[in-house]
Amino acid sequence: MEIFGALSRLGFGELVFGHDQETGLRAIAAVHSTRLGPAIGGCRLRGYATETDAIEDVTRLGQAMTYKAALARLPHGGGKAVVLAPQTLLSGDRSQLFMAFGRFVDRLGGRYITTEDSGTSATDMDAIRATTRHVLGTSPQKGGAGDPSPFTAIGVRRGIEAIAHSLFGKSDLRGLHVALQGVGHVGTYLARELHQAGARLTITDVLPSQRAEIARELSAQAVAPEEILQIDCDIVAPCALGGAITEDLVGKLRCKAIAGAANNQLATPAVGRALQARGIFYAPDYAINAGGLIHVAEEYSGYNKERALQKTDRIYDTILGIIERSKKEKLPPEIIANRMADEIIAAGPVKPA
Ligand code: NAD
């Protein structure tokens, strides 16, 4: 792999390798940008087939975090870290590994702030906290702000309200039909938010007991996972895994908009253009699902729930802005979101009033 070529294409930054002989830690931190403030982004733990795969993953994710933090108007740049899962993980002491990772993060001197991501938990963040203060998302007992999922859900609901207002001329969500894929952490909170706002819900999950339970609680219709994306409805809300919207699916969609919490919803960039050609609005994932990041980032400046909620509320304006510009410039929403983030980054840090 041509590492410097790849870094240059993504606009990096720093790529830092951490190794600890005793615990077997193999970690990579990708500090994409610190222009707007310390880089923030989760730490993934997973196995990679090759080290090149790990570098590609961490650099791509680190760059995406710069865009996400900028568009959420956070005083942060973007970064990401991966811990390459060691063979000994199941038998060994996980906390020792994450304490070693914390020492690695600490050596970066605060240029990168880590937090939870796939494969890691608040308990792991607590272990990291023992060796560095540059970690967010610890358990509430260690001063953390707790589960970000409810905030992610609130942000998605606000984005859906912006769509309802701008595209459907509705002042609230009463009667809006949303098809929700995946009632896990975020999906369950989102389903409750939408139900409370008067929306009509069709839901699914690959776990039959999970979908039955939420359907019962919210008087929603439950369908099989393979049906959900082709439901005749106003909005499809993908809240499961990435890549749900494929080129093959676009022609079969019967919704007017796609707005959900899942990361990387569009399987390829061509899907975005196909959705635009069909007149289906796509709320760029990193713009609408930023509530959790906003919540976690609040910990950095001393957690204040009200302030976190106010910032999450602004996702409404962000989505509204994307809709208006997308119409005006006749470009897909995800291209507009990238442009808006680029402009915010180019303008530099906001000076405190
Ligand atoms: P989760 O694992 O708790 O929930 C996902 C749910 O989707 C599970 O219940 C799972 O059974 C279900 N599922 C998986 N594949 C499915 C399929 N093909 N059809 C239907 N259901 C399926 O995860 P989560 O924390 O709720 O996150 C959901 C998505 O949102 C992920 O893509 C995540 O990256 C993204 N996201 C989460 C947060 C957060 O605050 N948790 C923030 C930003 C983005």
Side-chain angles (χ1 to χ4, degrees):
M1 179 189 192
E2 243 202 282
I3 293 182
F4 287 108
L7 294 184
S8 170
R9 277 191 294 282
L10 293 171
F12 269 84
E14 287 179 81
L15 190 65
V16 191
F17 294 80
H19 178 255
D20 180 68
Q21 194 72 23
E22 210 172 303
T23 58
L25 174 80
R26 290 178 302 151
I28 310 172
V31 185
H32 179 258
S33 167
T34 53
R35 182 164 163 77
L36 299 183
I40 193 169
C43 165
R44 277 194 171 181
L45 172 82
R46 54 164 286 198
Y48 288 95
T50 67
E51 290 174 3
T52 301
D53 288 352
I55 292 171
E56 278 173 357
D57 200 31
V58 77
T59 49
R60 183 180 55 80
L61 294 165
Q63 186 207 34
M65 287 307 297
T66 296
Y67 278 75
K68 184 166 181 171
L71 205 56
R73 309 270 173 180
L74 294 176
H76 286 287
K80 205 85 178 185
V82 292
V83 172
L84 287 77
Q87 299 289 339
T88 53
L89 190 65
L90 289 178
S91 56
D93 179 358
R94 200 173 158 112
S95 69
Q96 291 298 324
L97 182 76
F98 282 101
M99 282 163 71
F101 176 71
R103 285 191 288 276
F104 166 56
V105 170
D106 205 58
R107 287 195 292 276
L108 298 174
R111 295 196 301 289
Y112 167 64
I113 302 161
T114 198
T115 186
E116 214 180 294
D117 206 281
S118 55
T120 58
S121 66
T123 310
D124 298 328
M125 298 307 118
D126 288 354
I128 296 170
R129 185 69 185 84
T131 50
T132 185
R133 60 192 175 87
H134 306 300
V135 55
L136 304 173
T138 56
S139 65
Q141 297 90 305
K142 298 272 178 191
D147 183 9
S149 307
F151 281 80
T152 304
I154 291 170
V156 176
R157 192 250 301 153
R158 290 297 283 148
I160 288 177
E161 283 169 351
I163 293 167
H165 171 74
S166 181
L167 297 182
F168 310 149
K170 285 173 71 70
S171 58
D172 57 42
L173 301 186
R174 268 177 295 172
L176 192 88
H177 184 189
V178 180
L180 202 157
Q181 181 194 42
V183 278
H185 283 99
V186 183
T188 297
Y189 284 111
L190 178 62
R192 291 184 182 135
E193 290 275 336
L194 297 174
H195 173 73
Q196 208 170 12
R200 180 156 74 90
L201 291 171
T202 302
I203 62 153
T204 197
D205 199 286
V206 282
L207 303 173
S209 58
Q210 181 77 358
R211 64 176 189 251
E213 191 185 319
I214 302 300
R216 211 169 23 248
E217 177 191 327
L218 304 175
S219 310
Q221 191 191 354
V223 297
E226 56 277 15
E227 290 175 47
I228 196 78
L229 300 172
Q230 296 178 43
I231 296 273
D232 188 359
C233 64
D234 296 302
I235 293 181
V236 160
C239 296
L241 305 176
I245 315 298
T246 59
E247 282 187 66
D248 194 40
L249 178 76
V250 174
K252 300 174 190 155
L253 287 167
R254 290 190 291 160
C255 61
K256 302 177 194 79
I258 296 171
N263 281 315
N264 306 318
Q265 290 169 37
L266 306 186
T268 63
V271 176
R273 294 190 290 274
L275 287 172
Q276 195 199 23
R278 272 213 61 200
I280 298 172
F281 175 76
Y282 164 65
D285 41 24
Y286 74 85
I288 198 167
N289 74 12
L293 177 69
I294 292 168
H295 169 76
V296 169
E298 260 304 305
E299 275 182 46
Y300 191 67
S301 45
Y303 187 66
N304 178 319
K305 189 175 175 190
E306 273 316 301
R307 203 168 47 207
L309 280 169
Q310 278 168 13
K311 288 185 184 172
T312 305
D313 215 46
R314 287 188 219 146
I315 289 176
Y316 181 95
D317 293 326
T318 303
I319 298 297
L320 217 53
I322 292 171
I323 295 172
E324 281 163 13
R325 238 176 111 166
S326 175
K327 276 187 199 158
K328 205 161 119 204
E329 297 179 27
K330 297 187 175 39
L331 284 169
E334 64 281 9
I335 305 277
I336 295 296
N338 288 350
R339 283 195 181 179
M340 286 165 68
D342 276 333
E343 288 160 12
I344 293 166
I345 296 161
V350 179
K351 310 231 172 355

